[in-house]
Amino acid sequence: MSDQPSEASRPPEQSPEAGTQQQRQQQQQPEPQSPVPAAPTATAAPDQAVKTTATAGAPPAGPGDPWQYGAGAPGARNSPGDGVTARLRPPAPPLIRPAVLWSVLATAVVSALFLGDGLGVNLLIVAVPAVLAAFFAARSAGRRLRPWTATWAVGGLALLAVPALRDAGWPTFLAVVSAFALGSLALHGSRSWLGVLIGSLGLFDSVVPGIIWGVRGIRARADGSRARWGAGLRTTAVAVVLLVVFGTLFASADAAFADLLGDLMPDVSLGEGPWRIFLFALGLAGALAAAYAAAAPVRWDGITVSPGKPRGRVEWALPLIVLNLLFAAFIALQLVVLLGGYEKVRAETGLDHAEYARQGFWQLLWATLLTLLVIALALRWAPRGGSRDRTLVRAVLGTLCVLTLVVVASALRRMDLYVDEYGLTRLRISVAAMELWLGVVLVLILAAGVFGARFLPRAIAVSAAAGVLAFGLISPDGLIAEQNVQRFEARESAGIDIDYVKDLSADAVPALDRLPEPERSCALRIIQREVLHTDTPWYATSWGEARAKEILEKRPVQGDGRDCYRLGTDGVRDGYEQDGDGYDPY
């Protein structure tokens, strides 16, 4: 049972006229002899009745109300401890339901069992009960599933598939962070610029109120249903004992069943107790925060920034037109140089095509970023007088976006020239992917200028998540190895940087397996040691790692590694300057 006051015990709403009429009727009747005071609604003065009416729409906050934390509707006054977000939080959710409690408990248990050995498909296993907890909590609060909520949720679960497919840690990290951001957006449903930005991290705000909500809900239910809780605990204990006893008997009777059981069940030792307890608490707090945010999301869209003071047409447009002319002159020169071929590059700059490409890529990347900042500031102070002002803004900023897209294409072309000469690395593929995404953002801004900017914040967030997902699915380590192997096969004199490719993840094994000996063994020696000599359980093993293990078991590396000392040290190695002192990561 809940200690929240029931509807029957709450005083009915009264208008001042009704309160005055009841007071006159009671004055005509004899006073009761009972020492018990009369109900407030029967003896309230007109001004008291007005106060009752004014606060009747607010949620009750009596001494026995467990939902005082953050329960204020927008505009309501809350205690100082509620924080700034109390103004943005809707009324507190109803009493936590048993389905939510069991889903939260399941999330905590699977977190403690499966998250201690690495990342893989276990993240999806943990996410399923957490999503169910949020779904049940949202239903109990009367929230409906909307298209954008489903988009964020499906996108977040898709991103959690990257750790299950790829062994490389850096795309896995990006995917997990992006999945958390999309999950937070699914719970809060933000749509404005600040709402999408803050809402992607808004789940942290629900951790403390979620724990309080869960503890008070358990207390309220335990006080009224101790018999049911006791029966549930006894049933669970009996089921666990039966599973342990008969599972042990069957495992000792059949070796195949023992192996299957050992592969499926996580290996939990007593020494890992503190670590497993921490994971249990982490899963519990995370699931409670998700459920609370689903039932009572903070309306981050309520945080608004007032638009800047509009400027005059000439004052606003003249600097941007000058910038457009500068972009146009730079692009005209780029077309002359790049379309003229390598000889034209040498004639104009005195550099070969690789040095020329390396010299300008970073500058073009920064130019793209600064252009986006200029567009954001220009929109803030753009003239807003009428249709002619809107046409001017679209023409000037649209031209700037189109010219910046050409700059993006020039930067990517420079990177292509440099990779063709020196090979692909993690840094090079990362910044090229970043530049490509900035081009997508510019296209979205152009589309917003034509069709309206209502969906622009969410569209950019979707494009970022889609970019991270695509980046993980293409297997960047595998792509790096593939490009370097193809370059070695096409021009063996160019060599291959063994010192670099040997530190790639297991995703690179299928491509590196095509190298001739001794390059193959030198490139795969470290990866084989990590893949074959580690006992990682199935739920923490990625598909890339499993595929690499299968390849290396069929064709293990050869030799003792002495042949590797002479590889990559004669002449110029990939990533080394001919007369430089150290390694150039670019």
Side-chain angles (χ1 to χ4, degrees):
M1 292 178 61
S2 171
D3 55 352
Q4 209 174 2
S6 63
E7 293 293 335
S9 62
R10 295 177 185 173
E13 297 183 5
Q14 297 259 341
S15 64
E17 294 78 10
T20 305
Q21 184 178 3
Q22 288 185 4
Q23 186 178 9
R24 291 174 180 174
Q25 292 176 356
Q26 287 183 353
Q27 288 177 355
Q28 296 174 0
Q29 296 176 355
E31 287 187 16
Q33 300 299 322
S34 171
V36 181
T41 54
T43 59
D47 55 342
Q48 292 174 331
V50 170
K51 293 180 182 179
T52 304
T53 305
T55 58
D65 185 3
W67 312 123
Q68 283 184 320
Y69 186 94
R77 295 184 178 272
N78 295 275
S79 63
D82 289 343
V84 179
T85 58
R87 297 183 295 103
L88 308 174
R89 197 183 298 278
L95 188 68
I96 189 168
R97 299 181 64 180
V100 179
L101 287 174
W102 286 113
S103 299
V104 167
L105 181 61
T107 305
V109 171
V110 295
S111 298
L113 292 178
F114 293 109
L115 289 185
D117 300 298
L119 298 181
V121 71
N122 49 6
L123 283 178
L124 283 171
I125 296 175
V126 172
V128 169
V131 170
L132 289 177
F135 174 74
F136 293 140
R139 285 192 60 185
S140 65
R143 293 188 68 189
R144 294 179 299 170
L145 182 64
R146 299 183 181 274
W148 275 104
T149 303
T151 301
W152 300 130
V154 172
L157 291 176
L159 284 166
L160 290 181
V162 173
L165 297 175
R166 303 300 172 212
D167 180 57
W170 52 305
T172 293
F173 173 78
L174 291 175
V176 172
V177 172
S178 301
F180 176 86
L182 261 64
S184 185
L185 287 174
L187 297 172
H188 292 92
S190 303
R191 66 181 64 185
S192 65
W193 284 108
L194 278 178
V196 171
L197 182 62
I198 304 176
S200 61
L201 302 174
L203 192 59
F204 289 112
D205 179 74
S206 301
V207 173
V208 174
I211 294 174
I212 296 174
W213 178 54
V215 170
R216 289 177 172 171
I218 291 175
R219 285 180 180 176
R221 293 193 177 277
D223 290 341
S225 56
R226 293 184 178 179
R228 283 191 301 168
W229 281 95
L233 291 176
R234 287 193 299 271
T235 303
T236 304
V238 170
V240 170
V241 170
L242 291 176
L243 286 175
V244 170
V245 171
F246 285 94
T248 304
L249 290 175
F250 290 148
S252 60
D254 191 294
F257 182 79
D259 293 338
L260 176 63
L261 197 62
D263 292 336
L264 292 178
M265 296 301 296
D267 185 13
V268 180
S269 61
L270 188 61
E272 297 178 343
W275 172 237
R276 301 289 179 174
I277 292 174
F278 170 76
L279 292 175
F280 181 89
L282 183 65
L284 189 72
L288 281 173
Y292 186 85
V298 178
R299 303 301 182 186
W300 297 110
D301 288 335
I303 302 177
T304 58
V305 177
S306 58
K309 182 180 178 180
R311 307 295 180 179
R313 294 177 185 173
V314 176
E315 179 186 4
W316 178 86
L318 184 60
L320 295 176
I321 293 175
V322 172
L323 183 62
N324 284 339
L325 293 176
L326 178 63
F327 269 66
F330 175 79
I331 290 169
L333 181 62
Q334 292 296 294
L335 294 176
V336 170
V337 173
L338 292 179
L339 295 180
Y342 300 154
E343 297 300 328
K344 186 68 174 178
V345 171
R346 291 191 183 95
E348 295 290 338
T349 65
L351 304 172
D352 62 34
H353 63 280
E355 292 174 342
Y356 178 76
R358 177 189 176 187
Q359 184 188 53
F361 176 81
W362 288 102
Q363 289 85 341
L364 296 183
L365 176 63
W366 279 108
T368 306
L369 290 170
L370 291 176
T371 302
L372 291 175
L373 178 61
V374 168
I375 292 173
L377 295 176
L379 287 173
R380 177 171 174 81
W381 286 293
R384 297 183 288 271
S387 60
R388 297 181 64 182
D389 288 335
R390 288 194 296 270
T391 303
L392 176 66
V393 170
R394 290 176 179 175
V396 173
L397 294 184
T399 302
L400 183 59
C401 288
V402 172
L403 294 175
T404 309
L405 281 175
V406 181
V407 172
V408 170
S410 175
L412 293 175
R413 174 58 178 162
R414 286 171 181 257
M415 176 58 71
D416 181 63
L417 292 174
Y418 194 79
V419 168
D420 183 67
E421 182 70 21
Y422 293 112
L424 193 60
T425 64
R426 287 175 172 175
L427 180 60
R428 293 165 196 169
I429 193 175
S430 299
V431 294
M434 179 68 177
E435 184 74 30
L436 185 61
W437 176 70
L438 292 177
V440 173
V441 172
L442 289 169
V443 172
L444 291 175
I445 293 175
L446 283 171
V450 177
F451 302 105
R454 178 183 178 186
F455 298 108
L456 184 59
R458 289 181 286 187
I460 291 179
V462 168
S463 70
V468 172
L469 179 60
F471 190 71
L473 293 181
I474 65 172
S475 182
D477 275 12
L479 192 61
I480 292 169
E482 181 68 30
Q483 195 275 342
N484 283 278
V485 169
Q486 288 181 357
R487 180 170 165 268
F488 177 77
E489 292 173 343
R491 293 180 298 167
E492 190 170 342
S493 59
I496 185 170
D497 189 355
I498 298 296
D499 283 343
Y500 187 85
V501 297
K502 71 180 182 181
D503 292 326
L504 296 176
S505 65
D507 299 330
V509 170
L512 297 178
D513 186 56
R514 302 204 314 265
L515 288 172
E517 294 293 350
E519 284 85 358
R520 176 187 178 274
S521 294
C522 293
L524 294 177
R525 190 172 304 278
I526 295 178
I527 301 177
Q528 176 176 282
R529 187 185 309 126
E530 294 176 351
V531 170
L532 297 184
H533 298 162
T534 56
D535 189 17
T536 307
W538 63 272
Y539 50 82
T541 302
S542 65
W543 177 72
E545 190 176 358
R547 183 177 55 171
K549 184 177 181 180
E550 181 182 356
I551 293 174
L552 292 173
E553 284 177 344
K554 292 180 179 179
R555 294 183 58 200
V557 298
Q558 302 175 6
D560 55 3
R562 281 181 289 186
D563 292 335
C564 301
Y565 288 105
R566 66 179 179 83
L567 292 177
T569 58
D570 297 331
V572 181
R573 274 206 311 248
D574 176 20
Y576 279 80
E577 294 290 347
Q578 197 163 5
D579 55 350
D581 296 329
Y583 182 65
D584 175 18
Y586 176 73

